[in-house]
Amino acid sequence: MLTIQRATASDVDAMHGIQMRAFEEEGRRCGTQALPPLQETRASIAAHVESEIALVARDGRTVVGCVRGLRGGAVCTVRALVVEPSRHGQGIGSALLRALEAGLVGIERIELTTNTVMERNVAFYEGHGYRVHGRTALIAGIELAHLSKAVAAAAPGRQPD
């Protein structure tokens, strides 16, 4: 049974491992492993878990996905939404995104960036109400899509589970 919970320090190794596996294909398609998510350290993820929004999806006791967000005023930026590659298509990413959105207090907009080389990413976020508002070409073959979504304010005091 899938559950979504706040991430803790004991989840960091699993979160890092899933992120590395989830972005491996993107790195292959881009022809580089120098993508920021593939360069992120466990220490960076641990600091995020301690100070920002971080949720994990568990199947029993096993972490199968995670999402992290950064608050900045009335905006939350999705830093990473990753699911164990062998578990794609099972609704885990959708459950994590819904849980993140449901727990936001005082946030008016959610923003994120995704690499269009992963052709299903933009459609996934559009299916959740996000809209592309810009694109940035980094180098040949790598284009980032910038998406955002206005959100209704959650009830005061509500925090992510």
Side-chain angles (χ1 to χ4, degrees):
M1 178 175 181
L2 191 71
T3 58
I4 309 292
Q5 303 168 319
R6 281 188 180 277
T8 67
S10 64
D11 296 320
V12 170
D13 284 343
M15 294 169 72
H16 184 263
I18 292 169
Q19 182 169 310
M20 295 302 111
R21 290 186 293 278
F23 279 93
E24 183 177 359
E25 175 64 13
E26 185 171 327
R28 188 190 66 70
R29 290 185 189 189
C30 292
T32 181
Q33 295 298 303
L35 302 175
L38 290 171
Q39 301 300 310
E40 190 169 23
T41 65
R42 285 176 179 81
S44 173
I45 293 172
H48 189 117
V49 166
E50 190 173 307
S51 64
E52 296 287 347
I53 303 165
L55 304 175
V56 293
R58 295 182 196 282
D59 184 357
R61 298 172 81 175
T62 304
V63 175
V64 294
C66 56
V67 63
R68 293 184 287 137
L70 297 168
R71 291 177 185 268
V75 177
C76 177
T77 301
V78 175
R79 170 65 186 86
L81 171 59
V82 294
V83 173
E84 189 66 61
S86 65
R87 303 294 301 267
H88 284 183
Q90 297 178 18
I92 297 167
S94 293
L96 283 162
L97 192 58
R98 283 192 304 269
L100 173 74
E101 292 174 357
L104 295 174
V105 177
I107 298 294
E108 297 172 6
R109 188 174 73 254
I110 304 171
E111 297 179 342
L112 62 94
T113 301
T114 191
N115 191 335
T116 62
V117 73
M118 303 305 288
E119 62 278 346
R120 292 184 292 184
N121 286 4
V122 171
F124 169 82
Y125 290 112
E126 287 178 331
H128 288 278
Y130 291 79
R131 297 294 169 247
V132 175
H133 61 81
R135 294 180 183 264
T136 302
L138 294 181
I139 59 174
I142 300 179
E143 180 181 76
L144 301 179
H146 307 283
L147 297 96
S148 64
K149 175 182 178 177
V151 292
R158 170 126 188 220
Q159 296 296 317
D161 297 327

